[in-house]
Amino acid sequence: MEEVFGVQQKLNGDTSQEIYDQISSHLKEPEFQPRALFDKFNIEVLCTTDAATDTLKSHQKIRESGWDGKILPTFRPDSVVDINSHSWNSEIEKLSELSDIFIESFSTYIDALVIRREFFRSMGATATDMAATGIIPQELSKVEVERIFQSALKGNVAEEDAISFKSHMILESARMSLDDGLVMQLHVGSRRNHNPELFSKFGPDRGADIPVKAEFTKSLSLLLEKFGTSPKFLLIVFSLDESAYSRELAPLAGHYPALKLGPPWWFHDSINGMRRYFDRVMETAGLYNTVGFNDDTRAFPSIPARHDVWRRASANWLAGLVVRGIVDGEDAEEMILDLAYNLAKKAYRL
Amino acid sequence: MEEVFGVQQKLNGDTSQEIYDQISSHLKEPEFQPRALFDKFNIEVLCTTDAATDTLKSHQKIRESGWDGKILPTFRPDSVVDINSHSWNSEIEKLSELSDIFIESFSTYIDALVIRREFFRSMGATATDMAATGIIPQELSKVEVERIFQSALKGNVAEEDAISFKSHMILESARMSLDDGLVMQLHVGSRRNHNPELFSKFGPDRGADIPVKAEFTKSLSLLLEKFGTSPKFLLIVFSLDESAYSRELAPLAGHYPALKLGPPWWFHDSINGMRRYFDRVMETAGLYNTVGFNDDTRAFPSIPARHDVWRRASANWLAGLVVRGIVDGEDAEEMILDLAYNLAKKAYRL
Amino acid sequence: MEEVFGVQQKLNGDTSQEIYDQISSHLKEPEFQPRALFDKFNIEVLCTTDAATDTLKSHQKIRESGWDGKILPTFRPDSVVDINSHSWNSEIEKLSELSDIFIESFSTYIDALVIRREFFRSMGATATDMAATGIIPQELSKVEVERIFQSALKGNVAEEDAISFKSHMILESARMSLDDGLVMQLHVGSRRNHNPELFSKFGPDRGADIPVKAEFTKSLSLLLEKFGTSPKFLLIVFSLDESAYSRELAPLAGHYPALKLGPPWWFHDSINGMRRYFDRVMETAGLYNTVGFNDDTRAFPSIPARHDVWRRASANWLAGLVVRGIVDGEDAEEMILDLAYNLAKKAYRL
């Protein structure tokens, strides 16, 4: 508010209208247009999240516009993986069209995904993203996966088959990442659309997504058995269940070279959330098994503030280690740069 | 000990007898009688917890005594809701008698409860209280609830039906609260009577109640779907599972206007417990989605000390926010009064 | 590194070879031999963990060597209790031979265990140790336990019977501890051999054991009902799930006289892990329901550092209590000695 929009007054009922007007008026000025803010914020890379069936025309347009801001897509396959969603069959049609592959079997489906991933990569994508709450990666036999896929094509999928299919697809996605080098991200722990009235009036993503308990040690076991020590693979995991930090996530990230921890996310992307993350994760996982900080905001003007909070929280944590003689000044200088910038850049292969 | 009983010595084996005698002797003095202490402690309101079938004669007696101390009842319906308890049928007889309603069906049972709640309200009650460990509020069909109720009247209830009935009754209680304005409290997380030997020798509530894991996001989902945004409804939840603070309770309280969080309770009603509560709850829930502090002691002389600890812990937390520039002095002055006094008073509609 | 091996340089890629050589060369010197380090470290007692079928010949040899270092065995019965392990039948043969009892039934099996425990005790053992992740102590009928035992003798055990048997054996072990005074230890919470590739190449205990959620309130309920208030019995529990500290373990240890909490273990045997342990355990359990600190290292030269970290963390915690006026200097002087030394000595009956 203060640094981007110059708000000096205290936020409260008396000042709200004036501040609203001030921000509104700024947003119409040329220097508050997205590209101007992008430059002002000194953003090096901004990644969007795009459905596997997105044409990426907006990305194409940006490229053709001559603007040199680096805006990259991220491959999000949920809409073509959630086979019991109403839109799955039409999504598969789109996927078929865009990949120029007639999808009539699981193997042609995988071929089409490989082609889409390649297209995303050609447009600069370096990562994928999947929601995986309550999903345990598991391998299906070829016969079984084909049976389920055919039933999905016919629009007739049992709930448990849909879950098995997603479980299997997490492994397939990891396999594809191993081939094409796209970093794999899993977001775990949110129960979506907790407030049905809000959902029916305004749709998804309105703030009514509430965390639930998460489990990683057993759930990630097969995925890590298969790919956890592969030097070419990188899996970044985000959690909304802080009780898993020191119990499961830090030990797993400390052990498997291919696993790194994403920063504290969503409700925990805050001063206290970051402090707890440093406290519970770093000793066991090690700083270099985390990815530093990437914000995942939908609020563009919030980007500087979010990185600022992370950098202050990082500096505060690190200063505590220096003051207590656990880290020396030389290492701290390197670590603070890694926390603020290098780790995220390296993890996302930017 | 020090402020109420003037104990100056250190507590240990050498001094125990002397201190015991000192306290014993004080307790016989007029200025240590309950009403004298009530005045000395400067208590504005003290609420008891009373069975739905309590005549509230003690409350009546206090009123008739001419004493102006404000002692209010709280409606606790567990004994008439736990249909597989041995005493349920006799409790229903009492309920029938006190409400002057012949309870022969679920609807007459609800009518009787409404009448009792109204009586409690006429005696000053502003809240209800229920234990809900392991209970997920769920709606039963009219036919189903009647079937279970009739089997209970015959003294022949299946364990799973008793649980379904309680699940249903939490929703019914919320519905009644919406009508009569009694604040609804749910206490979650204790396994009662963990030590059977202690229980058989001395009965319940002797300190052998041990917490278990709790779940709120899924469990409260139907209750909040139905009543979570109703302006007339207020639900206060207490937890013994601190891992749910930042994962489930704070996000839920931050989202649903009708949900507020009770203070750290029981084992967590302590300096460290309060610090952890402030740390994990406030950022996401917001101070004004909590109810400040109400102690729930059975030890009358402990009341000043318990509020003193809360007030010191609150001041300490708030001072930390002021020192770091997160809250300014003006807001802090308001917040500390709300923490110490206003929030509880407002939440309990006193 | 610094105090034991005199390493002065900073550990990094440039200095690694030199430091490795320096340590290697030291390890060949007489003053770095185990007995010399034992004296230098001022170790009073070192306990090994030994299978129930171990002859304790090494212990015998130490005794006969004339060296006065106190090295005691600990009775670890897992290999004769895990009836579905491949080596169980050969282990039973050894057990039979060593105890001079023909094991043909559950009661002769118990007799043999009693004899082995007695032998361990004669060699100085004061404690037993069992892994109990996911095991809920439960009593089997005599008929049932005999049926399972006979099927095990025939090498044909169902998975669920093996679990029931271990559940029963935890109770039997407690019963034997009550008779012979061996302190009972339960380690809970690790999923062993999470990385199958590592396991197949290098075997168990290579650092791929990852914690999982643990439950104590329900799981320990029968064990504590039977033995939790017995003055002769002592059960020490270790947890890898910190969320159980304040929710389950501290309340249980605060209630049952026979239950004490082991120090923060494994991933939590660290500065932050200890700080969290003090924070969440002490207020509710009470210091004297913990066992102070016993390290469980496999790395002999790490012993001084591990106790040093605990002592500093203890002193830091205690100093915080003194500075805030919660503990006075007189008590603190006693408490710090108990934390550093007396509690462990007393708990393990040394």
Side-chain angles (χ1 to χ4, degrees), chain A residues 213-218 220-221 224-225 229 243 246-248 251-252 255-256 278-280 283-284 324 326 328 330-331, chain C residues 10 191 194-198 206-214 240-243 267-268 270-273 275-276 280:
Chain A
K213 282 175 203 169
E215 203 285 330
F216 297 93
T217 303
K218 293 169 188 167
L220 294 183
S221 136
L224 292 170
E225 174 182 343
T229 56
S243 72
S246 72
R247 184 182 58 214
E248 302 173 30
L252 284 169
H255 180 74
Y256 288 100
F278 288 123
D279 177 28
R280 300 183 198 173
E283 248 183 8
T284 296
R324 287 182 290 159
I326 296 167
D328 68 15
E330 190 190 359
D331 284 349
Chain C
K10 194 163 159 178
R191 170 155 162 161
H194 197 275
N195 183 340
E197 194 188 344
L198 194 78
R206 298 291 137 181
D209 304 322
I210 309 287
V212 290
K213 281 173 206 170
L240 287 172
D241 183 352
E242 295 182 307
S243 72
F267 297 105
H268 311 311
S270 66
I271 302 180
N272 290 349
R275 189 180 36 69
R276 291 192 295 258
R280 299 181 198 175

Side-chain angles (χ1 to χ4, degrees), chain B residues 10-11 191 194-198 206-214 240-243 267-268 270-273 275-276 280, chain C residues 213-218 220-221 224-225 229 241 243 246-248 251-252 255-256 278-280 283-284 324 326 328 330-331:
Chain B
K10 196 163 158 178
L11 305 181
R191 172 156 161 159
H194 197 275
N195 184 338
E197 195 188 343
L198 193 78
R206 299 291 136 182
D209 303 322
I210 309 288
V212 291
K213 282 174 205 170
L240 286 172
D241 184 351
E242 295 182 308
S243 73
F267 297 104
H268 311 311
S270 65
I271 302 180
N272 291 349
R275 189 181 35 68
R276 292 192 296 260
R280 300 182 198 174
Chain C
K213 281 173 206 170
E215 203 287 328
F216 297 92
T217 303
K218 293 170 188 167
L220 295 183
S221 131
L224 292 171
E225 174 182 342
T229 56
D241 183 352
S243 72
S246 71
R247 184 182 57 214
E248 301 172 30
L252 284 168
H255 180 76
Y256 288 100
F278 288 123
D279 178 29
R280 299 181 198 175
E283 249 183 5
T284 297
R324 287 182 290 157
I326 296 167
D328 69 16
E330 190 192 357
D331 285 348

Side-chain angles (χ1 to χ4, degrees), chain A residues 52-53 55 57 89-103 112 115-116:
Chain A
T53 53
T55 57
K57 270 186 187 151
N89 289 78
S90 62
E91 283 291 298
I92 290 299
E93 273 176 49
K94 272 197 235 167
L95 179 62
S96 189
E97 201 176 310
L98 287 164
S99 62
D100 206 16
I101 285 196
F102 178 52
I103 299 173
I115 285 172
R116 289 308 291 161

Side-chain angles (χ1 to χ4, degrees), chain A residues 132 134-139 167 170-171 186 188 214-226 235 237 244 247-249 251-252 256 259, chain B residues 213, chain C residues 132-135 163 188-196 208-215 241:
Chain A
I135 302 292
I136 299 176
Q138 272 175 322
E139 188 130 55
S167 299
I170 291 177
L171 292 178
L186 290 177
V188 176
E215 203 285 330
F216 297 93
T217 303
K218 293 169 188 167
S219 301
L220 294 183
S221 136
L222 183 61
L223 182 61
L224 292 170
E225 174 182 343
K226 287 184 177 294
L235 172 66
V237 173
R247 184 182 58 214
E248 302 173 30
L249 288 170
L252 284 169
Y256 288 100
L259 177 65
Chain B
K213 282 174 205 170
Chain C
T133 302
I135 303 292
I163 292 170
V188 175
S190 179
R191 170 155 162 161
R192 300 271 167 182
N193 310 316
H194 197 275
N195 183 340
D209 304 322
I210 309 287
V212 290
K213 281 173 206 170
E215 203 287 328
D241 183 352

Side-chain angles (χ1 to χ4, degrees), chain A residues 128-320:
Chain A
T128 72
D129 188 20
M130 279 175 98
T133 303
I135 302 292
I136 299 176
Q138 272 175 322
E139 188 130 55
L140 294 174
S141 71
K142 279 189 179 179
V143 172
E144 188 64 3
V145 75
E146 192 63 50
R147 181 190 65 73
I148 294 174
F149 191 79
Q150 291 302 330
S151 70
L153 283 180
K154 283 170 203 139
N156 182 17
V157 186
E159 176 66 21
E160 61 266 32
D161 280 348
I163 292 169
S164 299
F165 188 80
K166 183 142 198 183
S167 299
H168 183 79
M169 282 307 295
I170 291 177
L171 292 178
E172 288 288 343
S173 298
R175 209 166 270 136
M176 291 187 258
S177 276
L178 203 66
D179 288 342
D180 62 21
L182 288 177
V183 172
M184 184 172 183
Q185 296 178 97
L186 290 177
H187 285 98
V188 176
S190 180
R191 170 154 162 164
R192 299 272 168 181
N193 310 317
H194 197 276
N195 184 340
E197 194 188 344
L198 195 77
F199 177 71
S200 69
K201 277 196 195 154
F202 302 104
D205 301 328
R206 300 290 136 181
D209 304 323
I210 308 289
V212 291
K213 282 175 203 169
E215 203 285 330
F216 297 93
T217 303
K218 293 169 188 167
S219 301
L220 294 183
S221 136
L222 183 61
L223 182 61
L224 292 170
E225 174 182 343
K226 287 184 177 294
F227 309 107
T229 56
S230 163
K232 284 187 64 186
F233 182 59
L234 176 56
L235 172 66
I236 300 172
V237 173
F238 295 79
S239 172
L240 285 172
D241 183 352
E242 295 182 307
S243 72
Y245 279 169
S246 72
R247 184 182 58 214
E248 302 173 30
L249 288 170
L252 284 169
H255 180 74
Y256 288 100
L259 177 65
K260 290 195 193 300
L261 303 187
W265 180 49
W266 203 328
F267 297 105
H268 311 312
D269 179 3
S270 64
I271 302 180
N272 291 348
M274 288 170 187
R275 188 181 35 67
R276 292 192 295 259
Y277 177 83
F278 288 123
D279 177 28
R280 300 183 198 173
V281 158
M282 291 303 182
E283 248 183 8
T284 296
L287 171 59
Y288 294 94
N289 290 317
T290 71
V291 305
F293 185 72
N294 55 322
D295 78 274
D296 69 331
T297 191
R298 290 198 194 100
F300 187 52
S302 79
I303 290 176
R306 296 180 74 176
H307 285 264
D308 188 53
V309 170
W310 170 263
R311 288 167 185 197
R312 286 167 186 262
S314 297
N316 204 25
W317 169 68
L318 197 51

